[in-house]
Structures are given as C-alpha cells and as structure tokens.
Amino acid sequence: MPKSYNGDVPPSKSSRAREGPIPRGPYNTESIDDYLKAIWELGGAEEARVTSNALAQHLGIRAASVTGMLQKLAAQQPPFVKYEKHHGARLTAAGKMRALEVLRHHRLLERFLHDVLDYSWDEVHDEAERLEHFISERLEDRIAAKLGDPETDPHGHLIPERNGAIPAREEVLLSQWACGIPAVISSVSDRDAAALREMTRLGLKPGVAIMVETGTRNASLRVKIGDRRDAVRLSHELAFGIWVIAGRAH
C-alpha cells in the first residue's frame, strides 16, 4: 500500500529523471519554489491534482492568493503548472524539474546541518527552508560530495539525485499498518519540532524496528519499539507522522 498524503508531510516519493536545464522564468522566486515543491509533495508519486485549499493549508496562506499564483505559473512560458479552476493544479515537466532541484537542496542542507554542524533533527527543517533557494549548483555538489552522496535526509526522506531521479519506495502510515507484522520506520514528518522531540524520547527514528500490537486503535496505538520488552502507547497524532516499510531492522 503506497504512502498517502496526510495534509502535513510529503507523500510517497518517486519520479522520472529530469532532463535538460532548469527553467529560469520571470516568476522563479522563493515563493514560486515553495509552490512548486508543495505541489510535488502533495501530488505524490501519482502526480495527482492538488487543490488550492490543500496548497493554502500546506503553505499557510489564503486560498485566493494561491489561485492567483497558480494562474501566473500556468500562464508563463514555459508553464510550471497545468491549472484548471475548481480542479486544482499539477506540475508540468519544467515545474517538476525545478521542484526536485529545490527538494534536493533542502534535504542535502538538512543532512549537512545535522551531520556536520550538529543541529538536532528538530531544528534542521526551518533552517533548510531559509537556505534552499540560494545555494549554487557548485555548492550543492560540494555538500553532496562532503557527505558522501547520502540517500536520505535525517528524517528518512529520499534525496533526489543530481539529475532529478528519485527511487520509488512503498511506505505506509504507521496508523494504517497491520497489527502483529514486523516493520521498520522509513521516514517521519519533519514539520513539527515538538513531535520530533517526542520521537527522540521514545527512540522512534528511521531504521528502528516497530510492531503494532493487537488492540483498539480508537485513541492510540500500542507498539513495541526496537528491542524494548514493554510496549508503549502512541497518540494518533504522533503515529500519523511516521511511515514504515515491511521488514526487520538490521
């Protein structure tokens, strides 16, 4: 079962490789980069249409402002999105190229801040958001080389390759995972610092084994984490920011 969008964090990540140079149109600004990245994250591997309301919620702005920007992005040459009123928007090839480049910047920066500058994983998202628009391709390459071309950021999200390719990975929300079946945490939401601190306290990080125990799911999930003998209860809010894949930790 592929990862589905939960309104807060990126969905399942897969894409075809981008080709050709990154388009530099008249609307290629910080704001535009944020829109393109958000559409890619919300649209998922299926590249589904993303509504203005979903974008407004994700970006924290008014829906009317979103509609105006989508119209501009669809009208420029080359267009970054295909937009239909009342039906939402999806990225064009040019828009997807740019979105994946910005996403690569963001996730490499998160890894650099975490591994080299000793930022905690609940601090790196906001810092990377501020820096992702401004690093050069040369600096991007230097960061990637310094880190040994990492495959994931500190939260387990896949980093697009230099050419824009990003492998498919089937992930399922922990809240939807079957009881009694061993799993491994593959990625977690990076958008709530308090939730990340709670995950740290509980030992919930990518690569950790986890299993949902049989029982009610109304208010919380009872799970076993790693080698701990005692199960713990996770709120649905916390479980909704954790994705898993089948298997056992190595």
Side-chain angles (χ1 to χ4, degrees):
M1 177 179 177
K3 177 186 291 189
S4 59
Y5 168 58
N6 65 15
D8 182 45
V9 291
S12 178
K13 310 126 188 157
S14 67
S15 172
R16 295 182 295 273
R18 73 185 184 213
E19 298 176 356
I22 298 301
R24 304 287 178 180
Y27 302 110
N28 189 28
T29 65
E30 269 184 77
S31 178
I32 297 305
D33 287 349
D34 289 341
Y35 270 84
L36 298 178
K37 188 174 67 168
I39 294 170
W40 188 85
E41 290 174 342
L42 300 180
E46 301 81 12
E47 299 181 25
R49 288 190 177 275
V50 178
T51 66
S52 296
N53 286 337
L55 274 172
Q57 180 181 4
H58 189 82
L59 295 170
I61 55 181
R62 295 184 303 113
S65 299
V66 170
T67 298
M69 181 64 82
L70 291 177
Q71 291 171 340
K72 288 181 180 180
L73 292 175
Q76 77 166 55
Q77 293 299 323
F80 277 163
V81 304
K82 296 178 181 178
Y83 173 68
E84 292 182 36
K85 190 175 181 180
H86 305 308
H87 294 282
R90 62 164 55 101
L91 296 174
T92 63
K96 186 163 64 175
M97 286 186 223
R98 179 61 187 171
L100 287 167
E101 181 182 30
V102 177
L103 196 69
R104 175 174 168 82
H105 289 178
H106 181 95
R107 293 178 177 175
L108 279 173
L109 284 165
E110 285 195 341
R111 178 57 73 184
F112 182 80
L113 291 166
H114 182 271
D115 291 7
V116 179
L117 300 185
D118 297 325
Y119 278 68
S120 62
W121 76 334
D122 56 280
E123 296 176 310
V124 296
H125 177 75
D126 288 345
E127 289 287 358
E129 283 282 301
R130 287 186 280 269
L131 296 169
E132 66 189 20
H133 312 282
F134 306 113
I135 69 171
S136 66
E137 300 307 296
R138 182 183 180 190
L139 180 55
E140 172 195 322
D141 290 343
R142 294 287 292 270
I143 290 173
K146 178 70 173 179
L147 296 171
D149 292 315
E151 295 182 357
T152 63
D153 70 15
H155 311 102
H157 303 136
L158 295 167
I159 298 173
E161 296 176 9
R162 184 68 168 80
N163 67 357
I166 187 166
R169 183 173 67 185
E170 298 298 324
E171 299 180 290
V172 178
L173 275 172
L174 179 60
S175 59
Q176 298 174 357
W177 189 255
C179 296
I181 305 297
V184 175
I185 297 174
S186 52
S187 64
V188 302
S189 169
D190 60 2
R191 296 175 65 84
D192 186 334
L196 286 169
R197 289 191 289 270
E198 178 65 6
M199 290 180 199
T200 298
R201 186 184 72 82
L202 294 170
L204 294 164
K205 291 201 170 187
V208 170
I210 192 167
M211 186 169 66
V212 180
E213 292 196 338
T214 303
T216 179
R217 292 178 179 239
N218 291 338
S220 62
L221 300 180
R222 187 173 173 83
V223 301
K224 292 191 69 173
I225 302 169
D227 296 329
R228 294 170 61 165
R229 296 183 63 182
D230 298 329
V232 300
R233 286 201 173 275
L234 299 186
S235 68
H236 280 295
E237 290 77 14
L238 198 63
F240 206 61
I242 300 171
W243 280 267
V244 298
I245 57 176
R248 298 178 183 271
H250 299 292

